[in-house]
Amino acid sequence: MEKSLGRPLMQQAHMLPLLRRTSSLLPSIFSSLTPHSSSPLPLSLSKLIIMEIPNSGLSGRLVVLAQQLRLYKPPPTSDDDDEEEQRMEESAEKVVAKVGFPESATSAAQVRTAERFSPKRAAVLICLFEGDGGELRVILTKRSSQLSTHSGEVSLPGGKAEEADANDAETATREAKEEIGLDPSLVNVVTCLEPFLSKHLLRVIPVIGILSNKKDFNPSPNAAEVEAVFDAPLEMFLKDENRRCEERVWMGDKYLIHYFDYEIDNKKYVIWGLTAGILIRAASIVYQKPPAFTEQNPKFKVPSGVLKDTTLP
């Protein structure tokens, strides 16, 4: 059993395989992490001015992690495959109702006459911090049981983009402040991952940020949206422990939905579905290794057309 934010944490045997740098090398690392770095940022961060690391309060280890993540470039997604999109538009017999779940049936003729589908954008914050034992941990929430969607489920802080948001990082940090009282000034945003498709056909962008000092964050959950705030070790999403999965079929392809059972402060949580998938991906990138289990993701594809009155189960 573990302790939550601000409490003693168990020492873990496995540490991040990050580069070990001496203090003499840190100035050059700091220089490379300023907004004037020649390394290109992901498109969604192009307008974001990231706090200079020397004034961020990050440990040397977290500085190296930030540098590593700043260099990450998301791989191309199937959403960019125009040829495949055209093929689906012409021959589809079903419309996705939920990524990783059964589709709602409709005819090819209906799809061809449907309005072109453009998914709404959302962003979630993968907020990492260094635990007292030196391990990386991620902040999670349990959604209010009163919410109309995903009620009572574990999720990352985040939500739909608003017109005033300059980029995905601003969406994620704004939502985190609204949901759990996390001041955006405490978070150093370092990169964005490739988009995921949610149950309700939202294009969800995971934004990775590093909490400079966890002691400065005192969770104040919005009771209307969040029932609890807790944290978990990021590395657990690479281990085949307390994990189970279910096989599903989507558009003829088999894939797995992962469930992680987790207990902290005598409270039990199940982290699954989209949130689990995002954290498996984030952990793989941070630790630079694949999970110890078969991931078997679905081939994500945003449908090019859906009926205007289509509803999702």
Side-chain angles (χ1 to χ4, degrees):
M1 186 179 299
E2 304 185 44
K3 298 293 182 179
S4 58
L5 289 168
R7 300 188 180 185
L9 300 165
M10 293 178 64
Q11 179 72 40
Q12 295 190 1
H14 300 291
M15 305 293 288
L16 271 175
L18 297 175
L19 298 174
R20 295 179 178 175
R21 305 291 179 85
T22 64
S23 58
S24 62
L25 292 177
L26 289 178
S28 62
I29 295 176
F30 292 152
S31 176
S32 70
L33 289 175
T34 65
H36 305 292
S37 169
S38 59
S39 300
L41 288 175
L43 181 60
S44 58
L45 292 180
S46 61
K47 298 180 181 179
L48 178 70
I49 299 178
I50 299 176
M51 182 187 299
E52 293 191 16
I53 299 299
N55 301 321
S56 69
L58 296 180
S59 68
R61 180 165 169 263
L62 289 181
V63 167
V64 176
L65 173 62
Q67 183 189 43
Q68 171 192 318
L69 293 175
R70 282 283 303 277
L71 297 175
Y72 174 73
K73 295 182 179 180
T77 65
S78 60
D79 296 337
D80 301 321
D81 191 337
D82 292 335
E83 182 178 348
E84 175 66 8
E85 181 173 333
Q86 181 65 29
R87 184 192 67 78
M88 287 188 66
E89 189 171 27
E90 293 176 350
S91 63
E93 294 182 355
K94 295 181 178 180
V95 174
V96 175
K98 180 175 182 179
V99 168
F101 288 82
E103 310 106 18
S104 57
T106 187
S107 69
Q110 286 177 311
V111 172
R112 286 194 293 270
T113 58
E115 294 184 0
R116 185 169 183 80
F117 176 67
S118 179
K120 293 183 179 179
R121 202 173 186 91
V124 293
L125 180 64
I126 303 173
C127 187
L128 304 177
F129 67 92
E130 202 168 27
D132 293 342
E135 78 284 11
L136 281 177
R137 302 183 71 86
V138 59
I139 296 174
L140 294 163
T141 71
K142 181 178 180 182
R143 291 168 59 85
S144 168
S145 58
Q146 304 303 314
L147 292 173
S148 59
T149 59
H150 304 292
S151 59
E153 294 183 5
V154 171
S155 68
L156 292 157
K160 294 180 183 178
E162 294 184 355
E163 190 173 344
D165 293 339
N167 45 53
D168 297 317
E170 188 169 315
T171 298
T173 54
R174 173 184 55 76
E175 286 284 341
K177 182 177 182 180
E178 293 175 3
E179 291 181 6
I180 61 176
L182 177 58
D183 189 334
S185 67
L186 298 178
V187 180
N188 289 283
V189 173
V190 290
T191 195
C192 292
L193 306 186
E194 57 271 26
F196 286 70
L197 193 63
S198 79
K199 171 183 178 179
H200 297 284
L201 297 185
L202 289 173
R203 181 179 277 119
V204 181
I205 311 300
V207 175
I208 298 183
I210 299 176
L211 184 62
S212 55
N213 186 352
K214 73 178 188 298
K215 294 180 181 179
D216 292 336
F217 171 47
N218 296 310
S220 54
N222 178 347
E225 298 185 51
V226 176
E227 183 177 309
V229 181
F230 65 100
D231 56 84
L234 182 65
E235 194 176 16
M236 70 174 273
F237 298 101
L238 295 180
K239 298 179 179 180
D240 196 12
E241 301 172 4
N242 301 315
R243 183 194 68 88
R244 49 199 167 87
C245 62
E246 293 181 3
E247 185 178 83
R248 303 287 177 88
V249 177
W250 176 60
M251 299 295 287
D253 295 315
K254 293 182 179 180
Y255 66 97
L256 298 176
I257 292 182
H258 300 276
Y259 297 77
F260 293 87
D261 297 308
Y262 181 62
E263 183 175 349
I264 184 171
D265 293 340
N266 296 315
K267 295 180 180 179
K268 296 181 179 181
Y269 300 97
V270 179
I271 306 165
W272 70 286
L274 179 67
T275 299
I278 289 174
L279 290 173
I280 292 170
R281 180 62 179 156
S284 298
I285 293 167
V286 168
Y287 287 92
Q288 299 182 332
K289 64 180 181 180
F293 49 85
T294 301
E295 194 172 357
Q296 196 172 336
N297 287 323
K299 296 179 180 179
F300 291 105
K301 180 66 183 180
V302 177
S304 59
V306 294
L307 296 178
K308 187 174 181 179
D309 58 350
T310 296
T311 57
L312 306 181

